[in-house]
Amino acid sequence: MSHEYDYIFGFGSIMNTSTHATWQTPAKKTSGTTPGAVVTIKKSFGYKREWNFRSTTGFTALGVVPAEDDASDINGVLFKVPKEEMPNYDRREVGYEKVEVPLKFLEFRSDVSGTTQQTEFCIGSNEKIWLYVPLASMYADENHPLLQSYVDTVLQGCLEWGGERIAEEFILTTGGWSCFYLNDTPSSRRPWLFRKQYALIDQLLSKH
């Protein structure tokens, strides 16, 4: 069966492929890792990444916002998705709207590598590249903190695709880091039990 495809630019937890299965059809779940490539959306596209999305479950997640004066490069992973799967990702990203990104604003990052192999894409003229942008921008507060478990998920995704270099770029190019930060992981005083790659993640965060 032939498919038509679109592309999703993942800049947060979606970079971590362990988060995909919940939103895929049964057939897609059994077909392996979603093909991906590390890319950067160029500063000239006019957006920046921040902790600015208010989750209905009581925490602050990642988003992007238009930024005329202080736009920045945004690193992430470009995923190739069958068009019939796109509604599933739309449901995953409830509270966001899709913005099309012209191909000219993408830089493909063959200079980095991680534990998951990148796919070399040849994007057709009829295929779209989508960026999910929050409908509203709201920052962390006492009742909607940043969560350690969410930060871990995102940085594990960075390490999966691009190693320490992409993880550190993510930290440096993301705004909205906050003192409202909750270590919600089980047994937080024994992180080796529940937090994958905790030592490296904590080391990277402590540098900045």
Side-chain angles (χ1 to χ4, degrees):
M1 178 181 176
S2 61
H3 292 282
E4 293 183 338
Y5 293 92
D6 276 347
Y7 294 81
I8 294 172
F9 176 78
F11 58 84
S13 62
I14 198 173
M15 289 188 286
N16 189 324
T17 56
S18 70
T19 70
H20 291 191
T22 303
W23 306 100
Q24 294 172 332
T25 61
K28 184 62 179 173
K29 289 180 185 180
T30 61
S31 64
T33 301
T34 305
V38 180
V39 301
T40 294
I41 292 184
K42 299 174 185 177
K43 176 180 178 179
S44 55
F45 186 60
Y47 278 75
K48 63 182 178 180
R49 175 172 46 205
E50 295 184 326
W51 295 98
N52 71 340
F53 179 75
R54 184 69 56 84
S55 171
T56 57
T57 55
F59 71 98
T60 299
L62 286 161
V64 295
V65 291
E68 291 185 5
D69 298 325
D70 59 345
S72 65
D73 289 346
I74 306 170
N75 66 357
V77 180
L78 190 68
F79 291 106
K80 184 177 183 178
V81 178
K83 286 189 177 181
E84 65 266 24
E85 294 280 340
M86 286 298 297
N88 297 328
Y89 286 92
D90 291 344
R91 284 190 289 272
R92 171 197 166 106
E93 305 298 340
V94 64
Y96 295 74
E97 63 179 345
K98 292 203 297 288
V99 172
E100 186 176 355
V101 182
L103 181 59
K104 67 180 181 179
F105 290 108
L106 293 188
E107 176 189 356
F108 286 82
R109 301 291 303 277
S110 59
D111 58 317
V112 297
S113 62
T115 56
T116 297
Q117 186 174 356
Q118 297 192 52
T119 300
E120 186 173 341
F121 293 137
C122 182
I123 300 175
S125 59
N126 62 331
E127 296 175 325
K128 305 293 187 182
I129 300 166
W130 298 110
L131 172 68
Y132 284 95
V133 177
L135 294 169
S137 188
M138 303 180 73
Y139 297 91
D141 62 19
E142 184 176 2
N143 296 314
H144 303 86
L146 309 188
L147 298 183
Q148 182 69 61
S149 59
Y150 185 92
V151 174
D152 284 352
T153 298
V154 175
L155 288 175
Q156 287 160 10
C158 291
L159 293 168
E160 175 186 353
W161 288 99
E164 292 183 41
R165 182 173 173 185
I166 289 298
E168 191 156 7
E169 283 181 13
F170 167 86
I171 295 168
L172 291 171
T173 59
T174 299
W177 293 96
S178 175
C179 61
F180 299 109
Y181 194 104
L182 176 64
N183 189 346
D184 63 324
T185 57
S187 192
S188 59
R189 297 192 183 194
R190 294 186 294 168
W192 56 89
L193 294 178
F194 297 99
R195 291 182 58 208
K196 180 182 176 183
Q197 298 172 292
Y198 80 94
L200 178 54
I201 288 171
D202 288 350
Q203 177 189 349
L204 290 168
L205 289 170
S206 68
K207 289 170 63 177
H208 306 287

